[in-house]
Amino acid sequence: MVSDQISSKDDAKHQSIWNLFYHMLISDSDLIMLQEHTAKLLNCSEHLQTWLQSCYGDYVQFTNQATLTELRHYWTQYVSTDVSYNSKIDVSVRDGMSTRCKEIGTSMFAHGLRSAGPLWINGLEALSHTYRRYWETGVAGGNTVDCTRLGQKSHANPMFAVSSAPLGEFAVHYGSEPLLGFHLAPTFRKLYCSGGKKSLPAQSDCLVEAAKTQFTNWCNVFAALVRTRRVCVQLFSGDAVALCHQLQLGVDEARFYTKPWKLQPLHLDGQTSQSNPQWPSINRFDVIDTSNLGDHVGLINMIVATAPLLRTSETSVLCTESLLAASDDPTSSLSAVLGTDIVTFSLFIGLAPTGLLAGTTFEAVSNEAGLQSISRPMGTQQQSQYRLRIHWKSPCIQSSSPASKENGRTLAQVSVDADGLAAWLFNIYKKMFAKEDLSNLFSAMQSMKDKHFSTDMQRYTRAAIVALIRVLKTTVLTDWDLVMTTFLDMVESDRTLIVGSNSLQELNMHLALFGVWTLPVLAQGPRRIQKTFNLQLRPRSNVEGILGGVDPPPIVYIILSVPRKSLDVFTTGPGKVSSTPGIHISVKQQFGEQQYENCFHTFHCFFGRATHDEKDGSIGFEEDNMGWLGSADLVIICPVPTFGLLTGPRSGLKVSLALNTNTENLGLYTSKLGPRLTVFETSVDDGRRVSICEHPPYLDTSKSIDSQKNWLQRHSIQADGKITGSAVQDSYHKATKLRIRTTFNVDSEEAKALVSGVSVAVAPASSSAVILKIGDSLDRSLVFPFPVQSSNCKTRVARKSSWIEMEAPIHVAPQPDAFDTWTKVTTRADGSFSLGTIPRVNLDIQHAVPLTTKKDESWLNLLMGGTLSENEKYLKDHNQDLSMHPKSELKESLNIIIQSFAGYNPRAMGQPIHNFQLTMSRNNSCHTLIFVSGLHHDLDLGSVVLDAWVLPLTHQRVQKLAPGIQSLMSAEPPAVGVSLSDRESTLWKRLLPALAERCRTWNHKASCEYRTKGEIPLSVEEDRSPLCCCGEGKVTSSFTKFKQWAPFAKYVTRIAIAPVFPVPYIESLMRFPDPNVSNAPNTASSATTTTQRQQCDSCNASSNKLLTCGGCGKVKYCSKECQKAAWKAHKVQCKK
């Protein structure tokens, strides 16, 4: 629709596109436009080939026919002219709106404030109003223009009324707010600067108008991309995790079902039928954005599904997002959802959060902290929100390729002790299934009365832990046979997960299905190995179907038909589902008075019935597409090990559908279902309700295990033989150190040099690389698989055996980083440059922030105050020496520059200061000039950015530009000097190339000094420039409008200066005042921490309970391990 209509000059059509996208109620003309366009789509979409030959086939494609068929189902309803049907959906939408309006009442809602960025403090009242009015009127913000245009006669928008909800009910999410998807910070700033406070309806009109402008701009850009054939959107409707696993295998045969509740195999027939050479089939990606799917399916599930699809490159990135809070403390949120510490998980999986690698972020995380502070009073039993965006990249920025050699560096592979890895996996296993620990039943129930966290939800089955192990087999070197036997022994011996023992068969079955590990009893049919393992199986019987065969397969599929009447327990009335509790299939065997039970939580279900052909005994299936609205039974397809079905008398074998045993289900359903929470149970002999098949319906699983094993064989890393890297785990199974051993051939120069007794030294080269110096002439660069404290590297040399081993502690943010890795600009293999963790920004399209003489510093103070972590705020408040913390010094300097330009420097009397000089505090010499031309919104990051120009000074340049510099120094208001310590000066020199690169619009020359000298920055010395010359003199109008800067135009390079924030899942942010406290201060500039935390001298962790060094009584540590790790560096000072 956008590509068809946006090129039109008809404003009414443009307005209709907006209405159809965002309004729940639309006009006659809007509805006619939708129906005409949908009719056109239906004519083009009889099948995939018809679609490809249409005018849309070049830029909109479908992963499979099933997706196209489903869309046609919705399109058919959009064009319906059935009066009764249209009246029904109209009533449904209006009733849904009315119900939500009553729920909203007069409450204030904070979730829309994310669209206001750093101006969130100004938007609570206005955005609460727009949200409320949206649900009252059905148009965005209830704005005057659209409400007037809609008039009295309106229709329910079919695009909102028709949904995939199980009961066909109105299913628009209660949090829906059209303005949430737009950047409104510039509009709020203009509203403030316009003078006089506008009424809420007037503010709403302005906000909607701004959103419409952004929407139109997006449509124009998309249409332009379509016209130039530079975009192709491939659509898929179904289960995202299943799609990822199917893409991993890269096979044509369906191995999974498309989505829950549907008996539809996942074929990728769209990829094979689309023969457009411009858009070939893709199963490896440079960027994967999962939105907040991890909130709903589990973050580990999402990572193990997508990580193998990520292309191996230093710029490839996996983006995850969460909205649901995982804990009270954001610093523990990521480790809580991972079930382990972030470092160990990242090391083993081969992807790390960039915040962990950098220790900083340019995203204004203080905005989210502020939103949390004002949304606390909204109630206790509601799900708490905390938005967390994480970018996962290769932990070795310098060499992210798994190839053993790259750019002359040798990259060590990750090797792990088998026992330590098994113990680590077992800890994650216990976290995944913590709900099965009934000893914590009372405390869990009490906790959920107070607060709800995302970790309270059960998202994992035994297939999840197996999928994790499967990926680890491609990233970690170890004795996997020993890992699996040890891990399984731990699981079998565990007595904490009381009901977990019932899932051992399921765990072993999925290990076999994923090709990870196969127990002998699952390697072949049970009757074939009956004597070998002394299996007590009942005799064969022809009445048992596939189970009575000579050689039944090791795994079969139970198909259980649950009567519709048994599902009434989940409804509170006709056709209304009250909840979606966790369920499982239980297979029980009765031996006299003994009963054995095995539970299976991974299955597929749909509404329909199984049909039996009396002639050939085959089983067919008929699906009821009405789902919950229909009358058919619930059919469940569940894989189970065969030997469990052949043990004991057949008459004692029962299959049941039951609820998972957890706090929620016990509280809600015990009175209805009994203590075992059984929904339906029947005997295996019940031929009407139970069938057993070799394969699930419509899926080709005959080669599934082989496909999985082939995938593992292709992607598993192999030992290098010459160089091995191993992770050293502590007593809690966390990886704390990395060890590299490199072995030389006996006839190599290195081996001969070692035997001759030459010295061996290790020099740090980067955060993850070291230079191994053997004698005076032999240097070898080695790369650890994760950043380390390379300055603390220990070395062992075996001269006769010709190997050298190095061991270094893993570097964990926010520990000091001697190389300031977060500032790095890296060189790609093709000679181009890329930023490691700093995001790019286009300064030419970012909205300028209007500056006024009003005292409106609250929003900027909140933003800049949020750049400090809790520990940095403590150091600042207590006048601690920051020279050992250059990043903290940098934040202070950035605050001076940004606040001074905004007019809050008292020396300028409210006027913006444009000129700054970076000077050395030890000699007051200036080595860099910065010219600031404007303050802009950084819309994606919710922050601000300075459009600035930098001039590194050298002795020659100072002589050449002396008159201009003298004139600059005497200008009014005068230039502000920013005093730097030696360490902060080095940090600035390292940062400047990145600040230039993030806003670069010019091309580097072939003779670029970065390439010819192989160094970025070129230098960190005072009298030398860190920048290449490629960007010098590329000035824009934002520079030339200042006449006094003309002498410097030839030499300046454009840079983007922005605030730097702490990473919320790494260190505590500065706390915002609690609105429940009556005397809480109003701005973050006056906020202080409620507790005065101190910092461990080794790992920089903040705590109130640190141990003091017994030698000097000055420094503190959080543990004995940290004290030992820091002793080498501390002992000199301690003895003083």
Side-chain angles (χ1 to χ4, degrees):
M1 183 181 291
V2 169
S3 60
D4 277 355
Q5 305 294 341
I6 205 65
S7 58
S8 167
K9 301 299 182 181
D10 188 345
D11 291 338
K13 291 184 176 180
H14 297 178
Q15 176 66 40
S16 288
I17 294 176
W18 164 270
N19 297 343
L20 292 170
F21 263 72
Y22 294 110
H23 291 178
M24 287 186 275
L25 300 179
I26 57 176
S27 66
D28 286 336
S29 59
D30 298 333
L31 183 60
I32 291 171
M33 181 176 175
L34 173 65
Q35 292 179 335
E36 289 178 348
H37 184 73
T38 305
K40 183 179 178 182
L41 294 177
L42 286 169
N43 289 333
C44 299
S45 58
E46 292 183 6
H47 49 73
L48 282 172
Q49 286 301 328
T50 306
W51 178 265
L52 285 174
Q53 294 166 8
S54 73
C55 59
Y56 306 111
D58 281 341
Y59 62 94
V60 177
Q61 298 179 359
F62 300 94
T63 306
N64 53 20
Q65 177 67 50
T67 297
L68 179 58
T69 301
E70 182 169 358
L71 281 178
R72 284 179 57 84
H73 167 70
Y74 290 116
W75 294 341
T76 303
Q77 296 178 74
Y78 294 168
V79 299
S80 172
T81 57
D82 186 297
V83 176
S84 174
Y85 173 77
N86 289 333
S87 176
K88 178 182 176 182
I89 67 172
D90 194 82
V91 170
S92 174
V93 169
R94 295 180 192 275
D95 286 349
M97 290 169 56
S98 177
T99 299
R100 182 57 186 153
C101 283
K102 292 176 183 177
E103 294 169 349
I104 293 171
T106 58
S107 301
M108 302 290 271
F109 288 85
H111 82 290
L113 292 180
R114 293 190 179 98
S115 63
L119 276 297
W120 62 267
I121 192 173
N122 298 336
L124 179 59
E125 196 175 11
L127 287 170
S128 291
H129 173 80
T130 60
Y131 174 68
R132 187 179 301 107
R133 287 289 292 161
Y134 177 60
W135 285 91
E136 289 174 356
T137 65
V139 302
N143 72 91
T144 306
V145 173
D146 289 342
C147 284
T148 302
R149 184 182 288 119
L150 190 62
Q152 297 298 316
K153 186 179 180 182
S154 60
H155 307 273
N157 187 345
M159 297 176 72
F160 284 76
V162 179
S163 74
S164 60
L167 302 179
E169 69 273 23
F170 177 74
V172 177
H173 191 273
Y174 62 84
S176 295
E177 157 64 293
L179 300 185
L180 187 58
F182 296 95
H183 299 296
L184 302 179
T187 308
F188 276 112
R189 184 61 183 165
K190 289 178 182 177
L191 284 171
Y192 182 87
C193 295
S194 61
K197 184 177 181 182
K198 292 182 180 291
S199 66
L200 289 177
Q203 291 185 58
S204 178
D205 289 348
C206 292
L207 294 170
V208 172
E209 188 59 34
K212 286 183 179 180
T213 300
Q214 292 177 37
F215 179 74
T216 300
N217 291 340
W218 181 90
C219 291
N220 286 328
V221 170
F222 181 80
L225 292 173
V226 168
R227 288 193 297 271
T228 54
R229 300 171 65 86
R230 292 163 57 201
V231 64
C232 180
V233 179
Q234 193 165 109
L235 302 176
F236 170 74
S237 175
D239 185 281
V241 175
L243 173 65
C244 290
H245 281 287
Q246 184 80 26
L247 287 173
Q248 285 182 31
L249 294 178
V251 294
D252 295 332
E253 300 85 4
R255 300 286 193 256
F256 309 91
Y257 290 106
T258 300
K259 61 174 63 177
W261 306 104
K262 291 290 182 181
L263 189 63
Q264 190 175 69
L266 202 172
H267 289 289
L268 301 181
D269 48 332
Q271 292 219 333
T272 56
S273 67
Q274 291 165 176
S275 55
N276 186 346
Q278 187 180 6
W279 306 110
S281 298
I282 299 173
N283 62 0
R284 289 294 180 273
F285 304 88
D286 296 300
V287 179
I288 300 176
D289 191 335
T290 67
S291 186
N292 69 320
L293 278 173
D295 281 339
H296 306 285
V297 303
L299 183 60
I300 293 179
N301 282 335
M302 213 61 244
I303 290 176
V304 300
T306 54
L309 300 176
L310 201 63
R311 186 171 281 122
T312 303
S313 165
E314 66 271 15
T315 56
S316 298
V317 60
L318 168 64
C319 306
T320 64
E321 185 173 342
S322 62
L323 285 175
L324 305 182
S327 68
D328 264 331
D329 184 1
T331 58
S332 61
S333 58
L334 183 54
S335 57
V337 295
L338 293 176
T340 183
D341 69 293
I342 309 170
V343 173
T344 308
F345 183 88
S346 301
L347 174 66
F348 291 172
I349 209 74
L351 291 174
T354 55
L356 178 68
L357 303 175
T360 60
T361 178
F362 279 70
E363 183 177 1
V365 293
S366 59
N367 297 345
E368 194 67 27
L371 295 184
Q372 229 193 5
S373 71
I374 65 173
S375 60
R376 287 176 192 148
M378 290 183 65
T380 54
Q381 294 196 21
Q382 297 185 23
Q383 172 68 58
S384 177
Q385 281 200 0
Y386 189 90
R387 184 174 184 240
L388 197 63
R389 294 201 300 180
I390 301 175
H391 294 166
W392 302 76
K393 299 184 74 170
S394 167
C396 273
I397 297 173
Q398 295 87 354
S399 178
S400 59
S401 170
S404 58
K405 297 278 180 110
E406 182 177 296
N407 298 331
R409 297 169 181 255
T410 304
L411 174 64
Q413 299 160 318
V414 179
S415 174
V416 186
D417 172 72
D419 289 335
L421 180 57
W424 180 79
L425 284 169
F426 180 60
N427 284 342
I428 291 185
Y429 177 87
K430 289 199 295 183
K431 292 286 180 61
M432 281 184 169
F433 308 110
K435 292 274 185 168
E436 298 175 4
D437 184 354
L438 298 186
S439 64
N440 294 327
L441 183 62
F442 178 77
S443 60
M445 292 179 70
Q446 187 63 39
S447 174
M448 290 192 65
K449 285 183 179 180
D450 300 328
K451 295 177 182 176
H452 287 241
F453 294 117
S454 63
T455 47
D456 295 327
M457 303 178 188
Q458 291 180 283
R459 300 187 182 87
Y460 298 112
T461 67
R462 266 57 186 185
I465 188 69
V466 173
L468 173 61
I469 296 172
R470 171 180 174 268
V471 172
L472 292 178
K473 289 192 75 172
T474 70
T475 58
V476 174
L477 287 171
T478 190
D479 182 344
W480 276 104
D481 287 345
L482 181 56
V483 169
M484 296 311 304
T485 55
T486 305
F487 169 68
L488 291 174
D489 285 345
M490 291 176 172
V491 172
E492 292 176 15
S493 304
D494 177 60
R495 294 296 176 265
T496 59
L497 305 182
I498 300 174
V499 297
S501 59
N502 294 341
S503 297
L504 288 176
Q505 278 197 20
E506 182 183 32
L507 175 63
N508 286 311
M509 176 189 69
H510 283 299
L511 287 169
L513 288 174
F514 276 92
V516 171
W517 172 261
T518 306
L519 287 176
V521 292
L522 291 175
Q524 302 179 60
R527 295 202 182 277
R528 188 181 299 182
I529 57 175
Q530 179 176 0
K531 294 182 180 179
T532 304
F533 294 94
N534 195 28
L535 297 178
Q536 301 299 313
L537 306 182
R538 61 177 174 271
R540 288 180 53 215
S541 171
N542 292 332
V543 300
E544 292 206 60
I546 190 174
L547 296 181
V550 177
D551 186 23
I555 296 171
V556 294
Y557 291 81
I558 290 179
I559 300 175
L560 174 67
S561 295
V562 179
R564 172 70 70 143
K565 186 173 180 56
S566 297
L567 305 179
D568 289 347
V569 68
F570 302 125
T571 61
T572 56
K576 185 176 181 182
V577 179
S578 62
S579 62
T580 53
I583 57 178
H584 64 268
I585 293 297
S586 172
V587 179
K588 302 173 188 173
Q589 178 60 270
Q590 191 78 35
F591 286 92
E593 296 183 357
Q594 291 185 324
Q595 179 175 280
Y596 299 90
E597 180 179 16
N598 288 289
C599 299
F600 302 88
H601 299 77
T602 305
F603 50 83
H604 188 78
C605 54
F606 67 98
F607 286 100
R609 68 189 186 96
T611 60
H612 300 263
D613 190 313
E614 296 181 358
K615 295 181 180 180
D616 59 11
S618 63
I619 303 174
F621 299 89
E622 295 178 359
E623 183 176 357
D624 182 358
N625 290 321
M626 294 297 291
W628 282 94
L629 289 176
S631 58
D633 294 340
L634 179 66
V635 181
I636 300 175
I637 306 164
C638 181
V640 298
T642 306
F643 69 84
L645 300 177
L646 293 176
T647 305
R650 182 178 173 87
S651 59
L653 199 60
K654 296 185 180 299
V655 181
S656 64
L657 172 66
L659 303 189
N660 297 343
T661 304
N662 57 44
T663 54
E664 301 94 321
N665 289 343
L666 287 171
L668 287 172
Y669 295 103
T670 300
S671 61
K672 300 176 183 178
L673 300 176
R676 299 188 69 86
L677 301 178
T678 301
V679 178
F680 173 73
E681 183 173 87
T682 188
S683 169
V684 170
D685 285 328
D686 185 353
R688 195 166 64 92
R689 294 290 176 189
V690 179
S691 303
I692 299 176
C693 304
E694 183 174 359
H695 303 291
Y698 308 132
L699 294 189
D700 183 359
T701 58
S702 58
K703 299 179 180 178
S704 286
I705 296 177
D706 289 339
S707 296
Q708 294 284 6
K709 289 181 177 179
N710 289 338
W711 183 88
L712 278 170
Q713 188 174 7
R714 290 196 310 270
H715 293 87
S716 296
I717 59 174
Q718 304 298 321
D720 186 290
K722 299 298 181 182
I723 178 167
T724 58
S726 57
V728 180
Q729 296 172 275
D730 63 13
S731 56
Y732 299 99
H733 315 298
K734 297 179 181 179
T736 57
K737 300 176 183 177
L738 289 176
R739 186 182 297 138
I740 290 181
R741 176 181 290 187
T742 179
T743 304
F744 305 104
N745 293 328
V746 292
D747 57 348
S748 65
E749 292 183 16
E750 291 90 347
K752 295 174 182 177
L754 289 178
V755 172
S756 69
V758 300
S759 63
V760 174
V762 175
S766 72
S767 61
S768 56
V770 294
I771 304 295
L772 181 61
K773 294 181 175 292
I774 306 174
D776 297 328
S777 58
L778 297 175
D779 290 357
R780 186 168 181 180
S781 179
L782 301 174
V783 182
F784 286 86
F786 205 85
V788 295
Q789 300 174 37
S790 51
S791 59
N792 293 332
C793 194
K794 297 180 180 178
T795 308
R796 294 175 59 203
V797 181
R799 297 183 181 275
K800 292 183 179 179
S801 301
S802 302
W803 57 257
I804 299 174
E805 184 177 87
M806 290 154 289
E807 181 180 283
I810 292 176
H811 176 267
V812 180
Q815 290 175 345
D817 176 8
F819 294 93
D820 298 315
T821 307
W822 65 280
T823 67
K824 288 294 182 184
V825 178
T826 58
T827 306
R828 297 192 185 110
D830 62 2
S832 61
F833 303 102
S834 66
L835 290 163
T837 60
I838 296 178
R840 285 186 55 84
V841 61
N842 188 337
L843 291 174
D844 295 325
I845 64 172
Q846 299 293 338
H847 293 261
V849 178
L851 299 177
T852 71
T853 56
K854 295 181 180 181
K855 292 184 177 180
D856 62 339
E857 70 276 2
S858 57
W859 73 272
L860 193 57
N861 277 346
L862 282 169
L863 180 71
M864 299 307 299
T867 62
L868 299 180
S869 68
E870 188 178 81
N871 183 63
E872 289 170 327
K873 184 68 166 59
Y874 174 84
L875 294 175
K876 178 182 176 183
D877 289 346
H878 291 76
N879 298 316
Q880 299 290 312
D881 180 13
L882 295 180
S883 61
M884 300 297 290
H885 305 273
K887 197 182 296 181
S888 300
E889 289 184 301
L890 174 70
K891 291 180 180 181
E892 286 292 299
S893 298
L894 292 172
N895 185 49
I896 291 171
I897 295 173
I898 294 172
Q899 295 272 25
S900 295
F901 179 79
Y904 302 134
N905 190 310
R907 293 173 56 191
M909 301 183 65
Q911 295 300 312
I913 295 177
H914 294 271
N915 307 321
F916 299 87
Q917 48 184 329
L918 304 183
T919 62
M920 300 300 298
S921 58
R922 56 180 162 78
N923 57 17
N924 206 31
S925 63
C926 172
H927 65 58
T928 303
L929 295 178
I930 294 176
F931 307 88
V932 179
S933 58
L935 179 66
H936 297 261
H937 293 281
D938 191 335
L939 297 176
D940 180 58
L941 302 178
S943 185
V944 294
V945 58
L946 291 176
D947 186 357
W949 307 81
V950 64
L951 174 57
L953 295 177
T954 63
H955 182 69
Q956 293 82 358
R957 280 189 177 175
V958 170
Q959 289 182 325
K960 186 180 296 186
L961 297 172
I965 295 174
Q966 184 62 37
S967 174
L968 197 68
M969 296 301 105
S970 60
E972 287 293 337
V976 170
V978 181
S979 182
L980 311 180
S981 68
D982 285 358
R983 291 195 177 192
E984 188 190 356
S985 175
T986 299
L987 177 53
W988 268 101
K989 294 268 188 174
R990 288 171 171 169
L991 180 60
L992 286 175
L995 298 185
E997 196 66 25
R998 76 177 299 229
C999 64
R1000 176 173 61 84
T1001 56
W1002 38 266
N1003 293 321
H1004 284 278
K1005 303 172 185 175
S1007 58
C1008 175
E1009 296 94 327
Y1010 292 160
R1011 295 190 178 107
T1012 57
K1013 296 186 178 181
E1015 293 289 339
I1016 309 175
L1018 297 179
S1019 173
V1020 295
E1021 301 300 321
E1022 279 186 58
D1023 195 41
R1024 296 188 61 193
S1025 172
L1027 299 170
C1028 69
C1029 298
C1030 304
E1032 289 183 358
K1034 306 292 194 301
V1035 296
T1036 67
S1037 59
S1038 67
F1039 183 89
T1040 57
K1041 67 182 179 181
F1042 295 92
K1043 303 302 182 185
Q1044 67 272 30
W1045 292 351
F1048 310 102
K1050 277 180 62 176
Y1051 308 100
V1052 294
T1053 300
R1054 198 179 195 183
I1055 59 174
I1057 297 177
V1060 177
F1061 297 87
V1063 179
Y1065 53 87
I1066 299 298
E1067 55 182 331
S1068 298
L1069 306 185
M1070 191 188 70
R1071 300 187 181 184
F1072 280 78
D1074 191 335
N1076 293 312
V1077 180
S1078 59
N1079 61 348
N1082 292 322
T1083 66
S1085 59
S1086 58
T1088 58
T1089 56
T1090 55
T1091 58
Q1092 296 181 352
R1093 291 188 160 196
Q1094 295 175 308
Q1095 190 177 27
C1096 172
D1097 198 58
S1098 175
C1099 69
N1100 286 347
S1102 298
S1103 175
N1104 301 320
K1105 300 177 180 179
L1106 295 178
L1107 306 174
T1108 304
C1109 173
C1112 64
K1114 296 179 181 179
V1115 298
K1116 297 179 181 292
Y1117 303 98
C1118 58
S1119 64
K1120 291 182 178 179
E1121 289 77 11
C1122 277
Q1123 185 179 21
K1124 290 179 181 178
W1127 175 243
K1128 185 176 181 180
H1130 173 60
K1131 62 182 179 181
V1132 178
Q1133 294 178 337
C1134 188
K1135 292 177 179 179
K1136 290 181 180 179

